[in-house]
Amino acid sequence: MTSGDITGAQLQWPDLPAAQQPEWPQDGSVERVRETLAALPPLVFAGECDVLKSRLADAARGEAFLLQGGDCAEMFESATADNIRDRIRTLLQMAAVLTYGASTPVIKVGRIAGQFAKPRSKNTETRGDVTLPAFRGDIVNDFAFTPEARRPDPERLLRAYHTSASTLNLVRAFTTGGFADLRRVHEWNRGFIANSAYARYESMARDIDNAMKFMTACGVDFESTPLSAVELFSSHEALLLDYEQPLTRIDSRTGDAYAVSGHFVWVGERTRQLDGAHLDYVSRIKNPVGVKVGPDADPDEILRIIDQVDPEREPGRLTFITRMGAGKIRERLPRLVEKVTESGAPAVWVCDPMHGNTFESASGYKTREFDDVVDEVRGFFEVHGSLGTIPGGIHVELTGNDVTECLGGSEKILDADLATRYESACDPRLNHQQSLELSFLVAEMLSAR
Ligand code: TRP
Ligand code: MN
């Protein structure tokens, strides 16, 4: 892979309107930072992106299921060893539940090592009589509500790169260095107080143990990679083009461009304009890419997105991540799926049951109801069930910690509990236990598929 920035004739998008970009200082600093980024090594390799694409092609055919999860917005400060380990552990536990519960290979993708930029509904935030630029994620400015903190700072692009690099380094260590070994299935559950979700996990872990003992007795080699390691891919929203472009490289094997900031990138609901820079950008890279789709999406627009992003109709290339809301999915999803299916395009359908179910609680916290999250996933399976199409995966915002950001679950988190441990700087995430509970429920839906 060459380290050159791809610019010029090949790319049209720098001249197209790009929504949701910060107003960087006009002093040449962002240009300097882009040059520095363009000379830094890639975070991921093109061949890994191709592997993920072929796994997603399996998901489109119903031969695998995508589990994509992580923070709404990663924060530089939170990129600690403990936090990274806990998030990976949550994903591993969920993956074990899904793989075992539904006897289906699970593709594991983190919203991790790059999920630093946030689209905002308003450019500014007002508190009292003070109006400042909105917080756009750690990659742009600081969360603190002061003029200093909110000023977009291009140096943060570099910090995002380095934080992603060190996160990914630990992710690779944890997933291949023994931590993810299936023989540790019990250990991932240690330290949690006994309750129904953990008890259920324990009993499943015992079954897995027994199955492994049986297979060992049959001569299966557990030192072999398939059982002692996992593939965990990284993903984030390709929002900030001043970060993505310098981290777009030409693959020396093929001469094709790849985003090397992560294996999978998606375009959000607010930036997927057909004539905008973001869709043009992802149409020019070879990675598997996602497009978020909300309840008001027009089926013809979705077909045009396919023509633009996946003209070759390459299996695994394009994933639609639907975020309709529990109350709308059963009504709004069918016409999109029908249209796409009729067109013959091989899209992967993934359910994001988080973003259509956000509301402000009586006490003023941005929250989500666990039951709504479950209901949207249920609606997603129902729609695909009745159309005879494939529910390919779920995309969730979660953390490995015991936060209190989403209501409900078997812990029955109430509005009054939200203040106890509400840590998200952006959207509310499922906590560790709610994530496990969700995976048990999804495993049941998936095995009924
Ligand atoms: N490598 C296999 C897989 O990813 C089996 C495996 C190893 C596994 N460790 C795991 C599965 C942890 C789930 C969770 O499916
Ligand atoms: Mn979010």
Side-chain angles (χ1 to χ4, degrees):
M1 217 174 272
T2 64
S3 61
D5 190 349
I6 57 164
T7 47
Q10 221 193 33
L11 281 190
Q12 192 194 347
W13 62 262
D15 305 321
L16 295 174
Q20 296 283 343
Q21 304 305 294
E23 289 179 25
W24 299 117
Q26 299 289 312
D27 57 1
S29 52
V30 75
E31 289 74 12
R32 277 196 302 279
V33 164
R34 287 176 51 126
E35 259 171 52
T36 308
L37 276 177
L40 287 164
L43 294 174
V44 302
F45 292 99
E48 298 174 320
C49 304
D50 294 343
V51 170
L52 176 57
K53 202 192 287 175
S54 76
R55 303 272 184 264
L56 289 168
D58 297 341
R61 289 193 305 268
E63 290 162 17
F65 191 75
L66 172 71
L67 170 64
Q68 185 172 20
D71 284 315
C72 175
E74 290 182 274
M75 305 289 278
F76 294 155
E77 253 189 11
S78 307
T80 63
D82 285 0
N83 272 326
I84 295 165
R85 180 204 55 214
D86 291 349
R87 258 179 297 162
I88 291 175
R89 182 177 52 186
T90 306
L91 287 172
L92 292 176
Q93 287 192 276
M94 292 177 79
V97 169
L98 287 164
T99 312
Y100 186 76
S103 307
T104 302
V106 173
I107 308 160
K108 303 148 197 82
V109 179
R111 282 176 68 112
I112 198 167
Q115 181 51 27
F116 292 109
K118 297 313 298 173
R120 302 317 304 246
S121 43
K122 284 169 59 192
N123 286 334
T124 57
E125 179 182 345
T126 302
R127 294 189 196 171
D129 47 14
V130 185
T131 297
L132 295 174
F135 173 58
R136 290 188 172 275
D138 261 1
I139 194 168
V140 173
N141 55 4
D142 193 280
F143 188 60
F145 195 71
T146 67
E148 263 313 291
R150 288 295 170 92
R151 190 165 299 139
D153 176 3
E155 288 296 318
R156 287 177 167 268
L157 295 165
L158 287 173
R159 203 161 156 208
Y161 170 89
H162 290 293
T163 307
S164 299
S166 57
T167 299
L168 214 47
N169 182 51
L170 203 54
V171 168
R172 291 184 192 276
F174 278 137
T175 52
T176 59
F179 182 76
D181 192 318
L182 212 41
R183 284 167 295 183
R184 297 179 59 117
V185 67
H186 277 291
E187 271 159 74
W188 301 326
N189 210 31
R190 280 235 173 96
F192 295 109
I193 355 126
N195 64 40
S196 56
Y198 297 128
R200 194 166 174 195
Y201 181 88
E202 275 304 309
S203 106
M204 180 205 69
R206 270 195 301 278
D207 292 344
I208 293 179
D209 259 353
N210 283 336
M212 287 193 294
K213 284 186 193 130
F214 171 70
M215 288 192 288
T216 309
C218 297
V220 171
D221 176 13
F222 277 87
E223 299 304 326
S224 73
T225 323
L227 294 153
S228 63
V230 298
E231 288 174 342
L232 199 156
F233 300 95
S234 69
S235 72
H236 62 271
E237 177 174 354
L239 180 68
L240 212 59
L241 298 172
D242 287 313
Y243 183 72
E244 303 302 339
Q245 190 190 4
L247 291 172
T248 302
R249 307 290 166 81
I250 303 298
D251 174 18
S252 54
R253 303 170 310 167
T254 56
D256 291 325
Y258 282 77
V260 294
S261 57
H263 299 106
F264 178 98
V265 293
W266 71 87
V267 177
E269 172 81 344
R270 297 177 217 207
T271 50
R272 59 171 179 76
Q273 298 80 12
L274 282 161
D275 51 357
H278 291 86
L279 280 187
D280 188 64
Y281 170 67
V282 296
S283 73
R284 287 162 200 278
I285 55 174
K286 275 283 180 178
N287 306 55
V289 301
V291 176
K292 289 268 193 133
V293 177
D296 299 322
D298 163 18
D300 290 316
E301 193 184 357
I302 298 303
L303 293 185
R304 288 204 293 277
I305 292 178
I306 297 177
D307 284 338
Q308 188 174 353
V309 177
D310 184 25
E312 319 265 300
R313 306 293 194 257
E314 194 188 350
R317 156 74 174 158
L318 181 56
T319 296
F320 286 116
I321 306 165
T322 62
R323 27 95 69 233
M324 303 274 159
K328 293 185 175 159
I329 184 157
R330 292 171 179 83
E331 178 213 332
R332 304 288 174 91
L333 183 59
R335 57 200 183 116
L336 299 180
V337 177
E338 276 165 345
K339 256 281 162 66
V340 173
T341 307
E342 269 167 35
S343 83
V348 188
W349 293 100
V350 168
C351 176
D352 165 358
M354 314 299 292
H355 288 90
N357 294 311
T358 316
F359 62 94
E360 193 176 310
S361 77
S363 65
Y365 282 98
K366 197 174 179 186
T367 191
R368 291 161 177 155
E369 184 74 62
F370 181 75
D371 287 345
D372 291 341
V373 171
V374 174
D375 190 44
E376 179 154 356
V377 182
R378 213 176 277 294
F380 172 76
F381 274 89
E382 284 169 20
V383 168
H384 285 288
S386 66
L387 296 176
T389 48
I390 306 289
I394 54 169
H395 178 123
V396 283
E397 290 185 341
L398 56 80
T399 142
N401 304 327
D402 294 322
V403 299
T404 54
E405 298 173 4
C406 291
L407 299 167
S410 63
E411 277 171 295
K412 298 199 169 45
I413 294 176
L414 303 173
D415 190 6
D417 302 321
L418 293 179
T420 318
R421 194 168 169 197
Y422 195 103
E423 295 176 1
S424 177
C426 198
D427 291 340
R429 303 158 296 177
L430 298 177
N431 66 21
H432 179 261
Q433 188 180 324
Q434 291 166 328
S435 305
L436 260 193
E437 284 178 56
L438 178 66
S439 61
F440 277 112
L441 294 167
V442 175
E444 284 166 12
M445 302 177 208
L446 188 56
S447 51
R449 162 172 91 171

